Amino acid sequence: LGTPSSGPEALTKVLSRQITSPQTVLWCLAGGAVARGLWLLLGATRLRRLRRDAAPLEPLPASIQRAQSQLGVAARILVSDRLAGPSTFGLFDPVIILPPWIRDAEPHVQEAIACHELIHVRRRDWLEEIGEELVRSLLWFHPAMRWLIGRVQLSREQVVDRCAIQLTASPDRYVRALLAVALSGSRVALVPAPLF
C-alpha cells in the first residue's frame, strides 16, 4: 500500500528536488562570492609584498619630479621587476611601482608614464577599483555585470589617458610611452590595481 518507492526513479526524484532547490542555488552563489573574495585577499597580499620588496627609484629622474610638481601630487615611486608595467595603488599612502627599465627610458616616456600614474593617484582611482572588484565578487555570476565593470574600467583609463595627453602636450610622445610599456615584454601580474 504505502511502501516507499525505491530504485532509479526515487533517486532521480530526490536529486532533481535537491538541484533545483533555492537553497542549493544560494550556496553556489555564496561559494562563488567567497572564492572571488579569497582571490581579492590573495591580490591584496601580493600588493603588500610588492610594496615591501620594491626599491625606491633613486635618484628620482627630473622628468618624474616635473610631473609631480605639475600635478601637485606626491606618491612614493618604487621599482620592481615583478610587474608587467607601471601600477598605482594605496589610498592614504599611494605607491607607484615602475618596472626597472624606466631608469633607461627617454625622459618624455618617463614623464608620460608618471603623469598617467599620478593622475590615478589624484583621482583616487584605486578606491573605485576596489569597489568594482567587491561588486564583481558579489555578482560574479552575472555576465552583464562583468561586461559593465570592464567598460567602466576602460572608460576610466581613457579619461586618464586624455588628461595625461593634455598635460604632456604631445599625443605622439604619449603613444610612444604606451608602446614602450607594451613592448617591454614583462609578464602580467594578477593584482587588484590598475595597470598602465
Side-chain angles (χ1 to χ4, degrees):
L1 279 162
T3 60
S5 58
S6 60
E9 298 86 20
L11 182 60
T12 303
K13 192 184 244 186
V14 169
L15 288 177
S16 66
R17 196 176 322 126
Q18 288 178 351
I19 290 173
T20 59
S21 80
Q23 193 174 30
T24 304
V25 172
L26 287 175
W27 276 108
C28 288
L29 294 176
V34 167
R36 286 282 307 171
L38 290 174
W39 179 86
L40 278 178
L41 283 175
L42 181 66
T45 303
R46 184 175 167 86
L47 283 178
R48 187 177 197 176
R49 212 173 307 134
L50 275 170
R51 182 191 299 237
R52 184 192 65 216
D53 296 343
L57 178 59
E58 293 175 347
L60 194 61
S63 55
I64 294 177
Q65 291 176 11
R66 191 169 45 252
Q68 284 182 325
S69 65
Q70 186 178 13
L71 281 160
V73 176
R76 284 194 296 153
I77 312 289
L78 306 174
V79 177
S80 174
D81 60 356
R82 292 197 211 166
L83 282 180
S87 182
T88 300
F89 57 91
L91 185 60
F92 300 112
D93 182 21
V95 172
I96 297 173
I97 299 184
L98 303 171
W101 58 260
I102 198 74
R103 291 183 177 109
D104 301 323
E106 297 177 30
H108 67 269
V109 170
Q110 293 172 341
E111 184 178 9
I113 290 171
C115 281
H116 179 98
E117 298 303 323
L118 289 166
I119 290 168
H120 276 303
V121 171
R122 184 173 69 186
R123 291 169 35 100
R124 299 179 186 265
D125 285 338
W126 189 68
L127 184 61
E128 291 177 19
E129 183 97 10
I130 294 301
E132 291 158 6
E133 289 302 325
L134 290 173
V135 169
R136 192 189 318 239
S137 294
L138 291 174
L139 300 173
W140 62 270
F141 56 89
H142 202 298
M145 189 55 63
R146 288 195 305 267
W147 176 83
L148 181 62
I149 290 172
R151 297 299 297 176
V152 167
Q153 291 174 342
L154 176 63
S155 296
R156 179 173 44 247
E157 288 302 316
Q158 290 172 339
V159 167
V160 170
D161 286 340
R162 191 175 308 119
C163 291
I165 288 170
Q166 288 173 349
L167 282 171
T168 58
S170 175
D172 294 339
R173 287 182 173 182
Y174 192 74
V175 168
R176 280 187 246 149
L178 289 173
L179 286 172
V181 172
L183 297 175
S184 67
S186 302
R187 61 191 180 279
V188 174
L190 298 174
V191 294
L195 298 173
F196 186 80

